[in-house]
């Protein structure tokens, strides 16, 4: 019952200096309901790997099955539809559209899913309430704080009912208190059965995951359960 099944995955970028192997043969299975932190130094291949998991880019070689579907064999439109209904994306920079209201930002994935306008609006408002932002539906992103913007981005990620959240440094632009709030919300989502894959540099953010996978130079160099801290006695 794997949400993600990756085998011998490679990605080589063509650069002016010649080919650059950003991923050099990655194997990783992630079961439904897991909460996985992806760690590793800058340049180790984390973003490249997340882009492949999100079907935002294609590998140079290897296999990737997303919810049991081999993505290499899917035509582009089927892949886009699979991605849209399976994955919610959360980014470090929130990536809200500045001229759109919060409600319209949240509803955007429903436009691609061909949901009609009134239904989009209803579901977007419901999702904004879920992240504690009822009353802000008609505001623009610039009017709210960074932590609130990230909650809007999470509402957008959830609107299609995804089984998988891919989050690339979602707390990278947030203060520690706001980061903890976002992490608490991720924990609730995971408790509801949503699989989460989270890239982070920070050990205390990674500690919220149950499993920690570490990249170095385009390879996975460790994959282990998060050590549980003992309560002081
Ligand atoms: P991380 O997310 O761990 O910082 P990245 O996946 O962004 O690592 O990058 C891994 C390596 O691949 C880095 O050396 C980076 O410069 C290189 N890289 C990433 N994207 C590209 C690209 N589009 N073209 C060329 N090189 C790239
Ligand atoms: P992150 O902070 O997520 O690692 P980066 O700032 O490294 O992101 O990269 C931002 C974007 O630029 C990504 O889409 C990445 O693929 C691309 N990129 C990174 N390194 C290179 C590179 N050496 N050449 C071209 N594109 C790159």
């Amino acid at each position: 019952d794997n949400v993600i099944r990756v085998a011998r995955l490679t990605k080589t970028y063509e650069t002016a200096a010649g080919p650059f192997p950003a991923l050099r043969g990655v194997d990783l299975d992630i079961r439904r309901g897991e909460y996985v932190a992806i760690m590793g130094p800058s340049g180790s291949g984390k973003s490249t790997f997340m882009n492949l998991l999100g079907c935002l880019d294609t590998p140079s070689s290897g296999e990737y099955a997303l919810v049991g579907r081999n993505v290499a064999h899917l035509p582009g439109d089927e892949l886009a539809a699979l991605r849209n209904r399976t994955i919610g994306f959360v980014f470090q920079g929130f990536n809200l559209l500045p001229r759109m209201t919060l409600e319209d930002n949240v509803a955007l994935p429903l436009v691609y899913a061909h949901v009609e306008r009134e239904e989009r609006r209803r579901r977007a408002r419901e999702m904004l309430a879920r992240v504690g932002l009822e009353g802000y539906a008609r505001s623009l992103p610039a009017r709210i704080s960074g932590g609130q913007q990230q909650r809007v981005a999470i509402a957008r990620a959830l609107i299609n009912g995804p089984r998988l959240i891919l989050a690339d440094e979602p707390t990278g632009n947030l203060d520690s208190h706001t980061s903890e709030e976002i992490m608490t919300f991720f924990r609730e989502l995971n408790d509801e059965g949503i699989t989460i894959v989270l890239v982070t540099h920070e050990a205390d953010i990674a500690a919220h995951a149950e499993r920690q996978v570490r990249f170095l130079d385009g390879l996975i160099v460790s994959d282990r359960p998060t050590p549980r801290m003992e309560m002081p006695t």
Side-chain angles (χ1 to χ4, degrees), residues 35-39 203 206-214 222-227:
Y35 189 162
V36 180
I38 304 281
M39 307 192 70
H208 290 268
E210 68 197 9
R211 176 178 172 195
Q212 301 189 358
V213 171
R214 184 172 295 274
S222 91
D223 181 350
R224 51 172 199 154
T226 299

PDB file of all heavy atoms in Angstrom, residues 35-39 203 206-214 222-227:
ATOM      1  N   TYR A  35       4.657   9.939   7.632  1.00  0.00           N
ATOM      2  CA  TYR A  35       5.044  11.352   7.740  1.00  0.00           C
ATOM      3  C   TYR A  35       6.570  11.349   7.696  1.00  0.00           C
ATOM      4  O   TYR A  35       7.231  10.918   8.640  1.00  0.00           O
ATOM      5  CB  TYR A  35       4.523  11.925   9.050  1.00  0.00           C
ATOM      6  CG  TYR A  35       4.651  13.414   9.245  1.00  0.00           C
ATOM      7  CD1 TYR A  35       3.892  14.052  10.212  1.00  0.00           C
ATOM      8  CD2 TYR A  35       5.520  14.196   8.489  1.00  0.00           C
ATOM      9  CE1 TYR A  35       3.973  15.423  10.423  1.00  0.00           C
ATOM     10  CE2 TYR A  35       5.611  15.561   8.687  1.00  0.00           C
ATOM     11  CZ  TYR A  35       4.847  16.161   9.654  1.00  0.00           C
ATOM     12  OH  TYR A  35       4.947  17.509   9.872  1.00  0.00           O
ATOM     13  N   VAL A  36       7.124  11.789   6.561  1.00  0.00           N
ATOM     14  CA  VAL A  36       8.554  11.637   6.279  1.00  0.00           C
ATOM     15  C   VAL A  36       9.205  13.011   6.142  1.00  0.00           C
ATOM     16  O   VAL A  36       8.709  13.857   5.396  1.00  0.00           O
ATOM     17  CB  VAL A  36       8.778  10.839   4.968  1.00  0.00           C
ATOM     18  CG1 VAL A  36      10.264  10.678   4.676  1.00  0.00           C
ATOM     19  CG2 VAL A  36       8.082   9.488   5.046  1.00  0.00           C
ATOM     20  N   ALA A  37      10.298  13.225   6.860  1.00  0.00           N
ATOM     21  CA  ALA A  37      11.102  14.435   6.682  1.00  0.00           C
ATOM     22  C   ALA A  37      12.268  14.119   5.764  1.00  0.00           C
ATOM     23  O   ALA A  37      12.939  13.098   5.928  1.00  0.00           O
ATOM     24  CB  ALA A  37      11.621  14.937   8.025  1.00  0.00           C
ATOM     25  N   ILE A  38      12.489  14.997   4.785  1.00  0.00           N
ATOM     26  CA  ILE A  38      13.632  14.880   3.877  1.00  0.00           C
ATOM     27  C   ILE A  38      14.658  15.929   4.302  1.00  0.00           C
ATOM     28  O   ILE A  38      14.346  17.120   4.317  1.00  0.00           O
ATOM     29  CB  ILE A  38      13.217  15.140   2.408  1.00  0.00           C
ATOM     30  CG1 ILE A  38      12.079  14.206   1.975  1.00  0.00           C
ATOM     31  CG2 ILE A  38      14.428  15.059   1.484  1.00  0.00           C
ATOM     32  CD1 ILE A  38      12.490  12.818   1.622  1.00  0.00           C
ATOM     33  N   MET A  39      15.850  15.455   4.647  1.00  0.00           N
ATOM     34  CA  MET A  39      16.890  16.358   5.135  1.00  0.00           C
ATOM     35  C   MET A  39      18.139  16.228   4.267  1.00  0.00           C
ATOM     36  O   MET A  39      18.204  15.388   3.377  1.00  0.00           O
ATOM     37  CB  MET A  39      17.206  16.026   6.595  1.00  0.00           C
ATOM     38  CG  MET A  39      15.946  16.001   7.456  1.00  0.00           C
ATOM     39  SD  MET A  39      16.307  15.965   9.207  1.00  0.00           S
ATOM     40  CE  MET A  39      16.963  17.605   9.446  1.00  0.00           C
ATOM     41  N   ALA A 203      16.258  20.459  12.534  1.00  0.00           N
ATOM     42  CA  ALA A 203      16.037  19.216  13.267  1.00  0.00           C
ATOM     43  C   ALA A 203      14.734  19.270  14.066  1.00  0.00           C
ATOM     44  O   ALA A 203      14.022  18.266  14.163  1.00  0.00           O
ATOM     45  CB  ALA A 203      17.210  18.937  14.198  1.00  0.00           C
ATOM     46  N   ALA A 206      11.941  18.624  11.657  1.00  0.00           N
ATOM     47  CA  ALA A 206      11.986  17.215  11.232  1.00  0.00           C
ATOM     48  C   ALA A 206      11.496  16.285  12.329  1.00  0.00           C
ATOM     49  O   ALA A 206      10.962  15.207  12.049  1.00  0.00           O
ATOM     50  CB  ALA A 206      13.409  16.836  10.819  1.00  0.00           C
ATOM     51  N   ALA A 207      11.652  16.711  13.594  1.00  0.00           N
ATOM     52  CA  ALA A 207      11.241  15.871  14.722  1.00  0.00           C
ATOM     53  C   ALA A 207       9.727  15.616  14.729  1.00  0.00           C
ATOM     54  O   ALA A 207       9.269  14.671  15.364  1.00  0.00           O
ATOM     55  CB  ALA A 207      11.670  16.515  16.043  1.00  0.00           C
ATOM     56  N   HIS A 208       8.958  16.437  14.007  1.00  0.00           N
ATOM     57  CA  HIS A 208       7.514  16.208  13.913  1.00  0.00           C
ATOM     58  C   HIS A 208       7.188  15.013  13.014  1.00  0.00           C
ATOM     59  O   HIS A 208       6.095  14.470  13.101  1.00  0.00           O
ATOM     60  CB  HIS A 208       6.810  17.452  13.372  1.00  0.00           C
ATOM     61  CG  HIS A 208       6.807  18.599  14.329  1.00  0.00           C
ATOM     62  ND1 HIS A 208       5.779  18.811  15.217  1.00  0.00           N
ATOM     63  CD2 HIS A 208       7.701  19.583  14.557  1.00  0.00           C
ATOM     64  CE1 HIS A 208       6.045  19.891  15.942  1.00  0.00           C
ATOM     65  NE2 HIS A 208       7.205  20.377  15.564  1.00  0.00           N
ATOM     66  N   ALA A 209       8.108  14.642  12.148  1.00  0.00           N
ATOM     67  CA  ALA A 209       7.887  13.493  11.276  1.00  0.00           C
ATOM     68  C   ALA A 209       8.204  12.216  12.034  1.00  0.00           C
ATOM     69  O   ALA A 209       8.888  12.241  13.057  1.00  0.00           O
ATOM     70  CB  ALA A 209       8.770  13.599  10.032  1.00  0.00           C
ATOM     71  N   GLU A 210       7.732  11.076  11.520  1.00  0.00           N
ATOM     72  CA  GLU A 210       8.025   9.806  12.193  1.00  0.00           C
ATOM     73  C   GLU A 210       9.244   9.113  11.574  1.00  0.00           C
ATOM     74  O   GLU A 210       9.782   8.171  12.143  1.00  0.00           O
ATOM     75  CB  GLU A 210       6.815   8.881  12.114  1.00  0.00           C
ATOM     76  CG  GLU A 210       6.512   8.406  10.715  1.00  0.00           C
ATOM     77  CD  GLU A 210       5.110   7.836  10.576  1.00  0.00           C
ATOM     78  OE1 GLU A 210       4.326   7.968  11.532  1.00  0.00           O
ATOM     79  OE2 GLU A 210       4.813   7.269   9.512  1.00  0.00           O
ATOM     80  N   ARG A 211       9.654   9.637  10.411  1.00  0.00           N
ATOM     81  CA  ARG A 211      10.758   9.000   9.676  1.00  0.00           C
ATOM     82  C   ARG A 211      11.602  10.098   9.040  1.00  0.00           C
ATOM     83  O   ARG A 211      11.039  11.072   8.520  1.00  0.00           O
ATOM     84  CB  ARG A 211      10.138   8.105   8.613  1.00  0.00           C
ATOM     85  CG  ARG A 211      11.107   7.414   7.677  1.00  0.00           C
ATOM     86  CD  ARG A 211      10.317   6.524   6.731  1.00  0.00           C
ATOM     87  NE  ARG A 211      11.142   5.970   5.687  1.00  0.00           N
ATOM     88  CZ  ARG A 211      10.667   5.394   4.575  1.00  0.00           C
ATOM     89  NH1 ARG A 211       9.359   5.296   4.385  1.00  0.00           N
ATOM     90  NH2 ARG A 211      11.489   4.917   3.669  1.00  0.00           N
ATOM     91  N   GLN A 212      12.915   9.924   9.092  1.00  0.00           N
ATOM     92  CA  GLN A 212      13.818  10.941   8.569  1.00  0.00           C
ATOM     93  C   GLN A 212      14.732  10.325   7.517  1.00  0.00           C
ATOM     94  O   GLN A 212      15.444   9.366   7.787  1.00  0.00           O
ATOM     95  CB  GLN A 212      14.653  11.563   9.696  1.00  0.00           C
ATOM     96  CG  GLN A 212      13.764  12.213  10.756  1.00  0.00           C
ATOM     97  CD  GLN A 212      14.537  13.033  11.780  1.00  0.00           C
ATOM     98  OE1 GLN A 212      15.768  13.100  11.749  1.00  0.00           O
ATOM     99  NE2 GLN A 212      13.795  13.647  12.691  1.00  0.00           N
ATOM    100  N   VAL A 213      14.687  10.923   6.317  1.00  0.00           N
ATOM    101  CA  VAL A 213      15.485  10.455   5.191  1.00  0.00           C
ATOM    102  C   VAL A 213      16.494  11.547   4.865  1.00  0.00           C
ATOM    103  O   VAL A 213      16.119  12.702   4.698  1.00  0.00           O
ATOM    104  CB  VAL A 213      14.577  10.171   3.974  1.00  0.00           C
ATOM    105  CG1 VAL A 213      15.407   9.892   2.727  1.00  0.00           C
ATOM    106  CG2 VAL A 213      13.627   9.018   4.264  1.00  0.00           C
ATOM    107  N   ARG A 214      17.765  11.161   4.789  1.00  0.00           N
ATOM    108  CA  ARG A 214      18.808  12.173   4.584  1.00  0.00           C
ATOM    109  C   ARG A 214      19.487  11.981   3.232  1.00  0.00           C
ATOM    110  O   ARG A 214      19.908  10.878   2.891  1.00  0.00           O
ATOM    111  CB  ARG A 214      19.839  12.087   5.718  1.00  0.00           C
ATOM    112  CG  ARG A 214      20.920  13.154   5.661  1.00  0.00           C
ATOM    113  CD  ARG A 214      21.776  13.117   6.920  1.00  0.00           C
ATOM    114  NE  ARG A 214      20.990  13.478   8.092  1.00  0.00           N
ATOM    115  CZ  ARG A 214      20.786  14.745   8.498  1.00  0.00           C
ATOM    116  NH1 ARG A 214      21.301  15.757   7.830  1.00  0.00           N
ATOM    117  NH2 ARG A 214      20.061  14.977   9.566  1.00  0.00           N
ATOM    118  N   SER A 222      20.827   8.044   4.731  1.00  0.00           N
ATOM    119  CA  SER A 222      20.246   7.409   5.911  1.00  0.00           C
ATOM    120  C   SER A 222      18.732   7.523   5.865  1.00  0.00           C
ATOM    121  O   SER A 222      18.175   8.423   5.241  1.00  0.00           O
ATOM    122  CB  SER A 222      20.829   7.986   7.207  1.00  0.00           C
ATOM    123  OG  SER A 222      20.058   9.060   7.667  1.00  0.00           O
ATOM    124  N   ASP A 223      18.076   6.555   6.483  1.00  0.00           N
ATOM    125  CA  ASP A 223      16.615   6.447   6.451  1.00  0.00           C
ATOM    126  C   ASP A 223      16.248   5.735   7.748  1.00  0.00           C
ATOM    127  O   ASP A 223      16.495   4.547   7.896  1.00  0.00           O
ATOM    128  CB  ASP A 223      16.211   5.622   5.224  1.00  0.00           C
ATOM    129  CG  ASP A 223      14.700   5.473   5.087  1.00  0.00           C
ATOM    130  OD1 ASP A 223      13.961   5.836   6.027  1.00  0.00           O
ATOM    131  OD2 ASP A 223      14.268   4.981   4.020  1.00  0.00           O
ATOM    132  N   ARG A 224      15.715   6.493   8.712  1.00  0.00           N
ATOM    133  CA  ARG A 224      15.488   5.879  10.023  1.00  0.00           C
ATOM    134  C   ARG A 224      14.303   6.550  10.715  1.00  0.00           C
ATOM    135  O   ARG A 224      13.940   7.688  10.398  1.00  0.00           O
ATOM    136  CB  ARG A 224      16.733   6.015  10.894  1.00  0.00           C
ATOM    137  CG  ARG A 224      17.215   7.452  10.933  1.00  0.00           C
ATOM    138  CD  ARG A 224      18.315   7.709  11.922  1.00  0.00           C
ATOM    139  NE  ARG A 224      18.300   9.166  12.131  1.00  0.00           N
ATOM    140  CZ  ARG A 224      18.724   9.782  13.210  1.00  0.00           C
ATOM    141  NH1 ARG A 224      19.215   9.107  14.216  1.00  0.00           N
ATOM    142  NH2 ARG A 224      18.651  11.086  13.318  1.00  0.00           N
ATOM    143  N   PRO A 225      13.722   5.855  11.690  1.00  0.00           N
ATOM    144  CA  PRO A 225      12.638   6.466  12.461  1.00  0.00           C
ATOM    145  C   PRO A 225      13.173   7.658  13.249  1.00  0.00           C
ATOM    146  O   PRO A 225      14.338   7.649  13.663  1.00  0.00           O
ATOM    147  CB  PRO A 225      12.189   5.357  13.417  1.00  0.00           C
ATOM    148  CG  PRO A 225      12.809   4.102  12.922  1.00  0.00           C
ATOM    149  CD  PRO A 225      14.023   4.487  12.140  1.00  0.00           C
ATOM    150  N   THR A 226      12.336   8.653  13.439  1.00  0.00           N
ATOM    151  CA  THR A 226      12.724   9.793  14.259  1.00  0.00           C
ATOM    152  C   THR A 226      12.972   9.324  15.682  1.00  0.00           C
ATOM    153  O   THR A 226      12.112   8.649  16.261  1.00  0.00           O
ATOM    154  CB  THR A 226      11.609  10.850  14.263  1.00  0.00           C
ATOM    155  OG1 THR A 226      11.421  11.285  12.914  1.00  0.00           O
ATOM    156  CG2 THR A 226      11.963  12.046  15.133  1.00  0.00           C
ATOM    157  N   PRO A 227      14.146   9.646  16.227  1.00  0.00           N
ATOM    158  CA  PRO A 227      14.391   9.256  17.618  1.00  0.00           C
ATOM    159  C   PRO A 227      13.384   9.961  18.531  1.00  0.00           C
ATOM    160  O   PRO A 227      13.128  11.153  18.356  1.00  0.00           O
ATOM    161  CB  PRO A 227      15.814   9.749  17.899  1.00  0.00           C
ATOM    162  CG  PRO A 227      16.351  10.300  16.628  1.00  0.00           C
ATOM    163  CD  PRO A 227      15.240  10.432  15.657  1.00  0.00           C
TER     164      PRO A 227
END
